Amino acid sequence: MKVFVTGGAGYIGTHTLLQLLAAGHELCVFDNFSNASPVALTRVRQLSNRDFAQVEGDIRDAGALHRALADFAPDAVIHFAGLKAVGESNEKPLLYYENNVTGSVNLLAAMDAAGCRRIVFSSSATVYGEAQYLPFDEDHPIAPTNPYGRTKAMVEGVIADWTKATPNASAVLLRYFNPVGAHESGRIGEDPRDIPNNLMPFVAQVAVGRREKLSIFGDDYDTRDGTGERDYIHVVDLAAAHLAALAYSARATGCEAINVGTGQSITVKELVAAYEAACGHAISAYIAPRRSGDVASSYAATAKAEQLLKWRAELNVNDMCASSWLWQSDNPNGYPIDVSARRR
Ligand code: NAD
Ligand code: UDP
């Protein structure tokens, strides 16, 4: 199958590319490298021993998208491209609406022009907002609490409307919980450009000595040990969910939102302990005040993914930490800078 992958150079994109290539799909990656290194794509080629088309372009550039889709004529699109930092979205909401919402509208219009009717979209559990009950199932009310989450909820709505108006269209909205970990080779992984906002990359950078200590944001939540609990999902399992969603979209029309998580919650302290076991030394941490906007607990109901996608997570927290540590210790400063990798 020919698959057009926006944002394919990013963290989740690169892990998914490897599995798509292993399954024999023909790919075109469309990325502006605003939050990714071209070296990541070089490594995907090396690891897979396969090649694919690569277009440096911006989803806000409707003309560039139209040309790329018309040239490649894909059977399906996986749409990872987007900005994802909650804090930045509060400071620059218009940038987020333009990038994530306008960019997605451009993409659907270009798909229409190219006659492509299948899309798998990177949504987020953040669309649920404050939990009214747990685990979050897909019928939980949608009430995001920040501009980033609102862009995801809006794009879900846009895609649902597009699906209704487009004969035989098929869309899968994957609501990721907390993606972590790295490929077992340690050659690709998460490479945040600034100070990491998320727990796992921060822990990884403390473990490798790039940062002094972890702030644990609150230990007075109503959880097992007082620290926040989340549903961490190994990025390799998450990548597999995209292949399952592609397969599902070939046999079903319409639009489905589907959680991608393990259904298990892990607290901050539990994750730190698992990382200490993986890296073999203590991780310096202290208890800081709660981070504003944080919820105590978030984890997924997984029945819909199992039923529709025939997919379930297989890797555990030790796999997540071990793979993250391999990536972080082999690449303490992330991907190297190599401008030649941009020119293809
Ligand atoms: P990432 O930043 O590593 O990857 C996103 C990719 O999109 C990057 O390669 C970036 O360069 C590219 N991109 C961004 N804006 C673009 C634009 N205007 N035009 C072309 N390319 C553009 O992030 P990720 O963690 O791999 O996330 C992928 C998707 O999954 C995002 O849409 C994100 O919102 C969503 N998501 C991520 C998480 C998470 O915790 N990582 C959780 C839920 C949802
Ligand atoms: N967290 C923390 N220190 C950090 C980053 C995160 O204690 O430096 C906590 C955070 O309060 C939450 C959990 O780790 O309970 C997961 O946070 P993350 O930002 O990774 O994911 P999200 O809150 O978006 O689900």
Side-chain angles (χ1 to χ4, degrees):
M1 188 194 309
K2 292 175 79 173
V3 188
F4 188 84
V5 187
T6 74
Y11 169 48
I12 302 166
T14 44
H15 289 83
T16 306
L17 294 182
L18 278 181
Q19 294 187 25
L20 290 167
L21 291 164
H25 297 296
E26 187 183 340
L27 308 182
C28 176
V29 173
F30 187 94
D31 201 300
N32 66 357
F33 299 112
S34 59
N35 195 39
S37 164
V39 173
L41 294 180
T42 305
R43 292 195 178 176
V44 168
R45 290 188 176 90
Q46 290 165 348
L47 284 169
S48 65
N49 204 21
R50 295 276 312 272
D51 203 2
F52 50 84
Q54 174 179 333
V55 176
E56 182 165 350
D58 194 307
I59 56 170
R60 289 168 295 182
D61 180 347
L65 261 182
H66 274 257
R67 282 190 298 280
L69 274 146
D71 285 351
F72 186 64
D75 301 299
V77 169
I78 304 182
H79 180 28
F80 293 109
L83 300 176
K84 62 169 183 176
V86 171
E88 187 187 46
S89 81
N90 282 314
E91 287 151 26
K92 301 177 186 167
L94 300 186
L95 175 68
Y96 273 66
Y97 288 111
E98 190 194 11
N99 202 88
N100 294 5
V101 182
T102 308
S104 299
V105 172
N106 288 342
L107 177 63
L108 292 167
M111 288 171 63
D112 275 346
C116 179
R117 296 190 179 81
R118 288 166 61 189
I119 185 166
V120 177
F121 171 61
S122 299
S123 189
S124 168
T126 196
V127 297
Y128 296 124
E130 197 76 45
Q132 297 189 9
Y133 56 84
L134 284 170
F136 283 113
D137 62 28
E138 290 82 353
D139 296 325
H140 187 283
I142 300 298
T145 56
N146 55 67
Y148 166 67
R150 280 188 279 279
T151 68
K152 291 292 174 190
M154 287 170 83
V155 174
E156 285 198 359
V158 170
I159 293 176
D161 286 342
W162 170 83
T163 315
K164 278 186 214 141
T166 308
N168 300 319
S170 180
V172 184
L173 315 171
L174 293 179
R175 293 180 179 155
Y176 311 160
F177 277 69
N178 290 57
V180 296
H183 187 254
E184 61 181 5
S185 64
R187 297 280 293 158
I188 57 171
E190 188 171 11
D191 181 17
R193 294 222 156 151
D194 302 314
I195 301 171
N197 297 308
N198 296 113
L199 177 63
M200 184 76 132
F202 203 106
V203 169
Q205 291 193 4
V206 175
V208 84
R210 255 174 89 174
R211 309 210 175 266
E212 203 186 327
K213 55 175 68 169
L214 170 74
S215 317
I216 295 178
F217 297 140
D219 67 348
D220 54 355
Y221 285 107
D222 183 17
T223 60
R224 285 187 289 285
D225 59 20
T227 63
E229 53 182 15
R230 296 289 183 274
D231 186 339
Y232 297 95
I233 169 91
H234 198 303
V235 67
V236 170
D237 276 333
L238 175 55
H242 290 79
L243 276 80
L246 269 189
Y248 171 79
S249 74
R251 51 178 195 267
T253 55
C255 181
E256 292 289 351
I258 304 178
N259 287 339
V260 188
T262 63
Q264 311 287 320
S265 69
I266 293 167
T267 68
V268 176
K269 284 186 176 171
E270 288 166 351
L271 190 121
V272 171
Y275 214 100
E276 288 178 333
C279 73
H281 60 262
I283 298 202
S284 179
Y286 72 103
I287 306 299
R290 289 183 178 194
R291 182 172 66 178
S292 111
D294 268 358
V295 297
S297 302
S298 168
Y299 51 98
T302 56
K304 191 170 178 185
E306 288 177 29
Q307 196 193 337
L308 294 189
L309 304 184
K310 318 286 180 221
W311 169 92
R312 60 185 301 171
E314 284 170 5
L315 299 167
N316 64 29
V317 66
N318 298 324
D319 303 316
M320 300 175 202
C321 294
S323 60
S324 163
W325 176 239
L326 184 62
W327 153 254
Q328 191 69 63
S329 50
D330 281 359
N331 303 270
N333 297 308
Y335 291 109
I337 294 167
D338 175 4
V339 285
S340 67
R342 284 186 101 102
R343 296 193 212 101
R344 284 189 56 88

